[in-house]
Amino acid sequence: MSSTMGSHYKFTIFGQSHSPAIGVTIEGIPAGTVIEMDKLQAFLERRAPGRNALSTQRREADVPEFLSGLVGDTACGAPVTAIIRNTSARPSDYDEIRDMPRPGHADYTAHIKYGGHEDVSGGGHFSGRLTAPLCIAGGIALQLLEEKGITVSARAVEIGGRPDHFEETIAAARDAGDSVGGIVECVIKGVPAGIGGPMFDGLEGVIAKAVFGIPAVKGVEFGAGFEAARKKGSENNDGFRFDESGKVVTEKNDAGGILGGISSGMDIVFRAAFKPTPSIALPQHTISWSRRENAEIRVKGRHDPCIVLRAVPVVEAAAAAALIDLML
Amino acid sequence: MSSTMGSHYKFTIFGQSHSPAIGVTIEGIPAGTVIEMDKLQAFLERRAPGRNALSTQRREADVPEFLSGLVGDTACGAPVTAIIRNTSARPSDYDEIRDMPRPGHADYTAHIKYGGHEDVSGGGHFSGRLTAPLCIAGGIALQLLEEKGITVSARAVEIGGRPDHFEETIAAARDAGDSVGGIVECVIKGVPAGIGGPMFDGLEGVIAKAVFGIPAVKGVEFGAGFEAARKKGSENNDGFRFDESGKVVTEKNDAGGILGGISSGMDIVFRAAFKPTPSIALPQHTISWSRRENAEIRVKGRHDPCIVLRAVPVVEAAAAAALIDLML
Amino acid sequence: MSSTMGSHYKFTIFGQSHSPAIGVTIEGIPAGTVIEMDKLQAFLERRAPGRNALSTQRREADVPEFLSGLVGDTACGAPVTAIIRNTSARPSDYDEIRDMPRPGHADYTAHIKYGGHEDVSGGGHFSGRLTAPLCIAGGIALQLLEEKGITVSARAVEIGGRPDHFEETIAAARDAGDSVGGIVECVIKGVPAGIGGPMFDGLEGVIAKAVFGIPAVKGVEFGAGFEAARKKGSENNDGFRFDESGKVVTEKNDAGGILGGISSGMDIVFRAAFKPTPSIALPQHTISWSRRENAEIRVKGRHDPCIVLRAVPVVEAAAAAALIDLML
Amino acid sequence: MSSTMGSHYKFTIFGQSHSPAIGVTIEGIPAGTVIEMDKLQAFLERRAPGRNALSTQRREADVPEFLSGLVGDTACGAPVTAIIRNTSARPSDYDEIRDMPRPGHADYTAHIKYGGHEDVSGGGHFSGRLTAPLCIAGGIALQLLEEKGITVSARAVEIGGRPDHFEETIAAARDAGDSVGGIVECVIKGVPAGIGGPMFDGLEGVIAKAVFGIPAVKGVEFGAGFEAARKKGSENNDGFRFDESGKVVTEKNDAGGILGGISSGMDIVFRAAFKPTPSIALPQHTISWSRRENAEIRVKGRHDPCIVLRAVPVVEAAAAAALIDLML
């Protein structure tokens, strides 16, 4: 099912942009796990909107309420459900979207798939807002990994094609009524060798599937990634050696810490490409269902000219959830 | 489980490079499906080794024997198992690999994961030879898709960093005792709008997971992919319009036929990056388990200096298997 | 995972007896399905406690709040989460249970499984109260089946070993501080021939797995069930014939509507055996963890002397959920 | 999928009564497991036909060939596929069955489900012969359990309604051209407390689903089973006490070793009801598809008048496979 991920650490994300609540139901948190609520809240706030002058003005608290699965803050072994109430009022200005699908959004494809029954408001279940419950599941996964000495750290390495001056680039896009995308790199440290497996549950595939679950991701690469395709074998292969402590390491890490789908003990490194925010103020070509003719749309409201910075913790969340699933 | 893929069209690949046989067990082929055996065989031969002067000299027939699931050539609704006997003799020259893991291969990581019980010979279950049963499952998937008017066509678009003169590039690598990788692009035509879904079973994630199941793939991108991250929203969004027949199309296809994880009805386009073949004749750094010291290895035998051309049908197979799983 | 059922109509039940809420997250309700809320509520009330003089006095509203997946009362294709708030105060009188596991309950086994982190209050996730969210999932499944012309009707056919005078039997048990069990028979009408399959997803196995998910069920049998084992083949086989309308029917239905795991088009008939309520007022042998010695316990509070009558809709819910999963 | 079972110890059974081979593909055997082939063969022979004067005369070797997953007799971590060749010639006398479905068999229901494409010969994938690969998977599971100190022992406790003189009862049925069923009881010793879970992966449901996967099983009950429904709570509850070694035990075991779906550490006890063999020599009512009229059939050939004795190891196999799946 689309909104479920994992088999040992398994969760289902529910909610729409303007449903009464959004949330997540998680199975597999080991009984006895103490969830550090402050740390989880701090993690969620890295993703929350309205954090700076550049991002969308919609302001939400994003404080999860845990409905089940805990005794105090300790997991009791039963499924954990946490919800975030949607406090923003349901807007009435989505009639236009219902008639005219926004380019780059799921409006058109959801309309076909769900036969017109999709929740149009705010993008419904396709809204970036649904990355909040992903961050609840992923934030708990990060805590479980941390107990095993594993850290997951992502950062934007490129926005609008530039490796720096991100705020400037974003501001320029906003002023032009346009948007920019970018690339997030994620480094996972402390994973022991031997996690993953050949073929379809290889680490690359498992992590990629989770990361492609984040709206706007259009590419995922590991280690040298697409550049590996341009190297010679003698350049790309990472030689092995014993380090001073007698541990087997590789001399460099073009493999991104993964060989044959299995962790090598080196850092796991991957990059995700985010397309630019599809909501832009500039006029775009679309169709009108009601008039059965080509039309023009300007997406109203204030939208993030760049979601990449807010996506950074979401990438960590997705990667953490994918990884802990293989380690429980 | 690592070697299983799919939920409606589900299959498990089994076998090692030198086990008595390799093969695949498939559930979900609709009863009444006639498997065109000649077409399947022709597909398998596109992947087979020894097809030209450049690829590995090991010559195998790769003719599948169907053990179950058919009455004549027609699926009866029961699981289909097809095997290919491994005719090459089990070689004795893998003792070196057991002691010295080959850089870029799964020797080291499998050793850790399986505690020394892994099948070392020829790479065991990690061998590229296991793409043959993937091509059986994928070849049948291609026939099922074809009945729905869907075609899957891949081609190498870059080898060793060059968009052309592939044979020359490969020959040069071989003569240098080295290897090259490359990029395969795959185009899927005829997929109706509405296939896939949001989040974790989005088309990008599902196809990527299958494609990362092919050994040596280190990156997967859809549509404009990593380039999308460098575009403006106004450049990257694909405007909608009614075409002359009244069908909704997009004016271009930077989305690679996927919006919100769901097919838009446009061509699905993706690219996979293959690292260079890790087996090279040049000396490489590794370790010796027996001597507990750093060592040097030259991988013996004749190996493909480039597996990209042979991987082309494998990419089609993986994509077809992933797609039919969402359509049955 | 324990609390998840299904693959096409998939749901996870969450909550504990005294957690903030109990509920269910459901994937697979087809977009466009209108949930008849009045009918669902009426179904839930058949299960609710405090309905008559005989059942437990704890009074709860059991009105589900739908947090997601609907637009109005219509499914939009996204996961549906519904919750019921636990209004009863968390009691402090479970300290005894934490020390002395109640015979017949999961207190002891949960303690071992969850290492002492289980939620003891009211039985936690093992409480019969969790059959309320099962009835939400099952109640919606019943509506989906009804659209296909399928009805599911259960009734108690035996309580305390008697086929009638149930109230009398239950009252006698209550007056004696004891409890009784019983047998629920369920008849599913309107299932077309051809649903189910051989081996592990045969209708018997799939329905049984769901029904054994109801607390206190210790046996499930189909058609003639255990009596079939005492018949001759010539007695047990159901002969086929064309009925007046030209439809193939069987002359009787000892198979309970299932042959080879697949529906025959006849009524599906099964029976579930419920053990007597384990909570009784009479003294019972147990152990004290704190004192590490054998002990005696009298389970306090008012408890149902017989849960079989309340379990009748729960059996319908479980069967409906299992069946619709095979039909979507 | 119907022919797949398990998630940690996962296997798919393939083959039809007269396909080139039958077999099983197993994932999840821990690398390093040594399969004791003699013991496995001895286990398979307990199920094999032609073992005594009473069972069917068809004689098959049932020696599995392992195609993959092993190095010598040691599991290497890759999927294990084992096959048994079908040596009996494909018979031509199934034309009658194709026209006239045998009462009590899956002929009719499979015909509807698979649209006439089902493999009719010998019952195809529905044949009892497919319990041979189940016994391969189960036989290996038994070895894995034995390493953990767990034994699984089944026996027939009733045949044709009698608790003894089984051979006499079966011979009488055979002489009358009829058949008998029976009840198999299975006792699993050595399971530690804490295995299983609440709701849908409770031990009862998981074991029942596996056992209902055996053809002809129509009922499964645990511990006191259906008799529990006739007891008082004070009779049915098993009191706890510390035994002399300080271990928590129950004073009796009406729960069959399972409380709340979780093992209590006591013996797991269940019974399965087998209907009588549907193939009988006596005339039966059926229909003729070709003539579209009611008809009479006498099932030709020599058939087992009772499959219960041969089913005993199959019950052990199914239970072992279900249990190890929860313990890996």
Side-chain angles (χ1 to χ4, degrees):
Chain A
M1 291 286 179
S2 276
S3 308
T4 293
M5 180 178 141
S7 51
H8 295 87
Y9 185 81
K10 183 167 67 171
F11 57 90
T12 301
I13 291 172
F14 56 85
Q16 301 107 258
S17 188
H18 294 96
S19 59
I22 59 176
V24 64
T25 296
I26 310 171
E27 289 187 275
I29 301 176
T33 302
V34 179
I35 300 180
E36 292 184 58
M37 291 294 175
D38 288 352
K39 190 182 277 187
L40 179 63
Q41 190 60 44
F43 181 69
L44 290 175
E45 279 170 20
R46 286 176 55 203
R47 189 214 71 91
R51 305 277 302 160
N52 58 47
L54 291 165
S55 67
T56 174
Q57 301 303 301
R58 185 176 167 189
R59 200 73 183 77
E60 295 149 278
D62 278 7
V63 178
E65 180 192 6
F66 283 83
L67 298 181
S68 70
L70 304 183
V71 176
D73 290 349
T74 304
C76 69
V80 168
T81 292
I83 64 170
I84 299 170
R85 290 276 169 187
N86 279 326
T87 51
S88 302
R90 176 176 286 266
S92 57
D93 60 353
Y94 283 98
D95 286 352
E96 189 181 78
I97 292 174
R98 181 169 286 286
D99 188 41
M100 297 197 292
R102 295 166 297 171
H105 278 281
D107 299 344
Y108 170 68
T109 55
H111 184 79
I112 300 298
K113 180 175 179 69
Y114 302 113
H117 297 290
E118 71 282 3
D119 187 350
V120 172
S121 297
H125 191 58
F126 293 81
S127 166
R129 177 144 176 72
L130 274 295
T131 57
L134 173 55
C135 281
I136 297 174
I140 296 171
L142 284 165
Q143 295 188 14
L144 291 168
L145 289 173
E146 204 173 67
E147 283 174 32
K148 296 175 189 288
I150 297 169
T151 59
V152 181
S153 306
R155 67 192 174 96
V157 292
E158 203 183 297
I159 282 186
R162 295 184 57 172
D164 50 18
H165 299 292
F166 296 163
E167 299 226 344
E168 216 174 284
T169 307
I170 297 169
R174 182 198 53 200
D175 294 346
D178 213 334
S179 66
V180 285
I183 295 173
V184 173
E185 182 171 277
C186 187
V187 178
I188 311 177
K189 289 181 182 294
V191 180
I195 307 300
M199 302 200 186
F200 309 114
D201 283 348
L203 276 175
E204 290 105 335
V206 167
I207 292 174
K209 187 159 190 279
V211 173
F212 275 119
I214 305 170
V217 173
K218 298 299 281 187
V220 176
E221 62 177 6
F222 292 81
F226 277 84
E227 275 312 302
R230 289 151 194 150
K231 293 187 173 192
K232 296 260 184 333
S234 57
E235 296 163 341
N236 188 64
N237 284 349
D238 303 322
F240 292 107
R241 64 174 173 79
F242 288 107
D243 74 2
E244 50 285 354
S245 71
K247 191 188 157 199
V248 177
V249 297
T250 58
E251 296 172 327
K252 57 188 184 61
N253 188 19
D254 275 1
I258 307 171
L259 288 168
I262 303 173
S263 61
S264 69
M266 306 302 289
D267 291 353
I268 293 175
V269 181
F270 70 89
R271 276 169 302 284
F274 285 79
K275 69 178 186 182
T277 320
S279 292
I280 55 175
L282 296 171
Q284 298 181 81
H285 293 174
T286 187
I287 55 142
S288 162
W289 288 114
S290 63
R291 286 174 283 142
R292 296 292 302 175
E293 63 182 24
N294 295 333
E296 198 177 87
I297 190 172
R298 286 164 191 266
V299 181
K300 290 169 193 161
R302 283 175 173 275
H303 295 281
D304 258 344
C306 179
I307 52 88
V308 179
L309 295 176
R310 288 181 58 201
V312 167
V314 184
V315 169
E316 293 174 0
L323 184 58
I324 198 68
D325 189 49
L326 297 173
M327 298 187 71
L328 288 180
Chain B
M1 292 289 179
S2 275
S3 308
T4 294
M5 179 178 143
S7 52
H8 294 88
Y9 185 80
K10 183 167 66 170
F11 57 90
T12 302
I13 291 172
F14 55 85
Q16 301 108 256
S17 187
H18 294 96
S19 60
I22 59 176
V24 64
T25 296
I26 310 169
E27 290 188 275
I29 302 176
T33 302
V34 178
I35 300 180
E36 293 185 57
M37 290 295 174
D38 288 351
K39 192 182 277 187
L40 180 62
Q41 189 60 43
F43 180 69
L44 290 176
E45 279 170 19
R46 286 176 55 204
R47 189 214 72 91
R51 305 278 300 162
N52 58 48
L54 290 165
S55 67
T56 174
Q57 302 304 301
R58 184 176 168 193
R59 200 73 184 78
E60 295 150 278
D62 278 6
V63 179
E65 180 193 6
F66 283 82
L67 297 181
S68 70
L70 304 182
V71 175
D73 291 348
T74 304
C76 68
V80 169
T81 291
I83 64 170
I84 299 171
R85 291 276 169 185
N86 279 326
T87 50
S88 302
R90 176 176 286 265
S92 56
D93 61 353
Y94 283 98
D95 285 351
E96 188 180 77
I97 293 175
R98 180 169 286 285
D99 187 42
M100 298 197 291
R102 294 166 298 171
H105 277 281
D107 300 343
Y108 170 68
T109 55
H111 184 79
I112 300 299
K113 181 176 178 68
Y114 301 113
H117 297 290
E118 71 281 3
D119 187 350
V120 173
S121 297
H125 191 56
F126 293 81
S127 166
R129 176 143 175 74
L130 274 294
T131 57
L134 174 55
C135 281
I136 297 175
I140 296 171
L142 284 164
Q143 296 188 14
L144 291 168
L145 288 173
E146 203 173 70
E147 282 174 32
K148 297 175 188 290
I150 297 170
T151 59
V152 181
S153 305
R155 68 196 172 96
V157 292
E158 203 183 296
I159 283 187
R162 296 183 57 171
D164 50 18
H165 299 294
F166 295 163
E167 298 226 343
E168 217 173 283
T169 308
I170 297 170
R174 182 197 54 200
D175 294 346
D178 213 333
S179 66
V180 285
I183 295 174
V184 172
E185 182 172 275
C186 186
V187 178
I188 311 177
K189 288 180 182 292
V191 180
I195 307 300
M199 302 201 186
F200 309 114
D201 283 348
L203 276 175
E204 290 105 336
V206 167
I207 292 174
K209 188 160 190 279
V211 173
F212 275 119
I214 306 170
V217 173
K218 298 300 280 189
V220 176
E221 62 176 7
F222 292 81
F226 276 84
E227 274 312 302
R230 288 149 194 153
K231 293 188 173 191
K232 297 260 186 331
S234 58
E235 296 163 341
N236 189 64
N237 284 348
D238 304 322
F240 292 106
R241 64 175 173 80
F242 288 107
D243 74 3
E244 50 285 357
S245 71
K247 191 189 157 199
V248 177
V249 296
T250 58
E251 296 172 328
K252 58 189 182 61
N253 188 19
D254 276 1
I258 307 172
L259 287 168
I262 302 173
S263 62
S264 68
M266 306 302 289
D267 291 352
I268 294 175
V269 181
F270 70 90
R271 276 170 301 285
F274 285 79
K275 69 178 185 183
T277 319
S279 291
I280 55 173
L282 296 170
Q284 297 181 82
H285 292 175
T286 187
I287 55 141
S288 162
W289 288 113
S290 63
R291 287 175 281 142
R292 295 293 302 175
E293 62 181 26
N294 295 333
E296 197 176 271
I297 190 171
R298 287 164 191 264
V299 181
K300 290 169 191 161
R302 283 175 172 276
H303 296 281
D304 259 343
C306 178
I307 52 88
V308 179
L309 295 176
R310 287 180 59 201
V312 167
V314 184
V315 170
E316 294 175 0
L323 184 57
I324 197 69
D325 189 48
L326 297 173
M327 298 187 71
L328 288 180
Chain C
M1 292 288 180
S2 276
S3 307
T4 294
M5 180 179 141
S7 51
H8 294 87
Y9 185 79
K10 184 167 67 172
F11 57 90
T12 301
I13 291 172
F14 56 85
Q16 301 107 258
S17 188
H18 294 96
S19 59
I22 58 176
V24 63
T25 296
I26 310 171
E27 289 187 276
I29 302 176
T33 301
V34 178
I35 300 179
E36 293 184 58
M37 291 295 176
D38 289 351
K39 190 182 279 188
L40 179 62
Q41 190 60 44
F43 180 69
L44 291 175
E45 278 170 19
R46 286 176 56 203
R47 189 215 72 90
R51 304 279 301 162
N52 59 48
L54 290 166
S55 67
T56 174
Q57 301 303 302
R58 184 176 166 190
R59 199 74 183 76
E60 296 148 278
D62 279 8
V63 178
E65 180 193 6
F66 283 82
L67 298 180
S68 71
L70 304 182
V71 175
D73 291 349
T74 303
C76 69
V80 168
T81 292
I83 64 169
I84 299 171
R85 290 276 170 187
N86 279 327
T87 51
S88 304
R90 176 176 288 264
S92 57
D93 61 352
Y94 283 97
D95 285 351
E96 189 183 75
I97 293 174
R98 181 169 286 287
D99 187 42
M100 296 197 292
R102 294 166 298 172
H105 278 281
D107 300 344
Y108 170 68
T109 55
H111 184 79
I112 300 298
K113 181 176 178 70
Y114 301 112
H117 298 290
E118 70 282 3
D119 187 350
V120 173
S121 297
H125 191 56
F126 293 82
S127 166
R129 176 142 177 73
L130 273 294
T131 56
L134 174 55
C135 282
I136 297 174
I140 296 170
L142 284 164
Q143 295 187 14
L144 290 168
L145 289 172
E146 203 173 71
E147 282 174 33
K148 296 175 189 288
I150 297 170
T151 59
V152 180
S153 305
R155 67 193 175 95
V157 292
E158 203 183 298
I159 283 186
R162 295 185 56 172
D164 50 18
H165 300 293
F166 296 161
E167 299 225 345
E168 214 173 286
T169 307
I170 298 170
R174 182 197 53 201
D175 295 345
D178 213 334
S179 67
V180 285
I183 295 173
V184 172
E185 182 171 276
C186 186
V187 178
I188 310 177
K189 289 182 182 291
V191 180
I195 307 300
M199 301 199 188
F200 309 114
D201 283 347
L203 276 174
E204 291 105 335
V206 167
I207 293 174
K209 188 160 190 279
V211 173
F212 275 119
I214 306 170
V217 173
K218 298 300 281 188
V220 175
E221 62 176 6
F222 292 82
F226 276 84
E227 274 312 303
R230 289 151 194 151
K231 293 187 172 190
K232 296 259 184 340
S234 57
E235 296 163 340
N236 189 64
N237 284 349
D238 304 322
F240 292 107
R241 63 174 174 79
F242 287 106
D243 74 3
E244 49 285 356
S245 71
K247 189 188 156 199
V248 178
V249 296
T250 58
E251 296 172 326
K252 59 189 182 61
N253 188 19
D254 275 2
I258 307 171
L259 287 169
I262 302 173
S263 61
S264 68
M266 306 302 290
D267 292 352
I268 293 175
V269 182
F270 71 89
R271 276 168 303 283
F274 285 80
K275 69 177 185 182
T277 320
S279 291
I280 56 174
L282 296 171
Q284 299 181 82
H285 292 176
T286 188
I287 55 142
S288 162
W289 289 114
S290 63
R291 288 175 281 141
R292 295 292 303 175
E293 62 181 28
N294 295 335
E296 197 177 270
I297 190 171
R298 287 164 191 266
V299 181
K300 290 170 193 159
R302 285 178 171 274
H303 295 281
D304 259 344
C306 179
I307 52 89
V308 178
L309 295 176
R310 287 180 59 202
V312 167
V314 184
V315 170
E316 294 175 0
L323 185 57
I324 198 70
D325 189 49
L326 297 173
M327 298 187 71
L328 289 180
Chain D
M1 291 287 179
S2 276
S3 308
T4 294
M5 181 179 142
S7 52
H8 294 87
Y9 186 80
K10 183 166 66 169
F11 57 91
T12 302
I13 290 172
F14 56 84
Q16 302 108 257
S17 188
H18 294 95
S19 59
I22 58 176
V24 64
T25 297
I26 310 170
E27 289 188 276
I29 302 176
T33 302
V34 178
I35 300 180
E36 293 184 56
M37 290 295 175
D38 288 350
K39 191 183 277 187
L40 179 62
Q41 190 60 43
F43 180 69
L44 290 175
E45 278 170 18
R46 287 176 54 202
R47 189 215 72 90
R51 305 278 301 160
N52 58 48
L54 290 166
S55 66
T56 173
Q57 300 305 301
R58 185 176 168 192
R59 200 72 184 77
E60 295 149 277
D62 278 7
V63 178
E65 179 192 7
F66 283 83
L67 298 180
S68 71
L70 304 183
V71 175
D73 291 348
T74 304
C76 67
V80 169
T81 292
I83 64 170
I84 299 171
R85 291 278 169 183
N86 279 326
T87 50
S88 302
R90 176 176 287 265
S92 56
D93 61 352
Y94 283 97
D95 285 351
E96 189 182 77
I97 293 174
R98 179 168 288 285
D99 188 41
M100 297 198 291
R102 294 165 298 172
H105 278 282
D107 300 343
Y108 170 68
T109 55
H111 184 79
I112 301 298
K113 180 175 179 70
Y114 301 112
H117 297 290
E118 71 281 4
D119 187 351
V120 174
S121 296
H125 191 56
F126 293 81
S127 166
R129 176 144 177 71
L130 273 295
T131 57
L134 174 55
C135 282
I136 298 174
I140 296 170
L142 284 165
Q143 295 188 15
L144 290 167
L145 289 173
E146 203 173 68
E147 283 174 32
K148 296 175 189 288
I150 298 170
T151 59
V152 181
S153 305
R155 66 192 175 97
V157 291
E158 203 183 299
I159 283 186
R162 296 184 57 172
D164 51 18
H165 300 293
F166 294 163
E167 298 225 346
E168 216 173 286
T169 307
I170 297 169
R174 182 198 54 199
D175 294 346
D178 213 333
S179 67
V180 285
I183 296 173
V184 172
E185 182 172 275
C186 186
V187 178
I188 311 177
K189 289 181 182 293
V191 180
I195 306 300
M199 301 199 186
F200 310 114
D201 283 348
L203 276 175
E204 290 106 336
V206 168
I207 292 174
K209 188 160 190 281
V211 173
F212 275 119
I214 306 170
V217 173
K218 297 301 279 188
V220 176
E221 62 177 7
F222 292 81
F226 276 85
E227 275 312 303
R230 288 149 195 153
K231 293 186 173 192
K232 297 260 184 336
S234 58
E235 297 163 339
N236 189 64
N237 284 351
D238 305 322
F240 292 106
R241 64 174 173 80
F242 287 107
D243 74 2
E244 49 284 358
S245 71
K247 191 188 156 198
V248 177
V249 296
T250 59
E251 296 173 327
K252 57 189 182 60
N253 188 19
D254 275 1
I258 307 171
L259 287 169
I262 302 172
S263 61
S264 68
M266 306 302 290
D267 291 352
I268 294 176
V269 182
F270 71 89
R271 275 169 302 285
F274 285 80
K275 69 176 186 183
T277 319
S279 292
I280 56 174
L282 295 171
Q284 298 181 82
H285 291 175
T286 188
I287 55 140
S288 161
W289 288 114
S290 63
R291 287 174 283 141
R292 295 290 305 172
E293 64 180 28
N294 295 334
E296 198 177 88
I297 190 172
R298 286 163 191 267
V299 181
K300 289 169 192 163
R302 284 176 171 274
H303 296 280
D304 259 343
C306 178
I307 53 89
V308 179
L309 295 176
R310 288 180 59 200
V312 167
V314 183
V315 169
E316 293 175 1
L323 184 57
I324 197 68
D325 189 48
L326 297 172
M327 298 187 73
L328 288 180

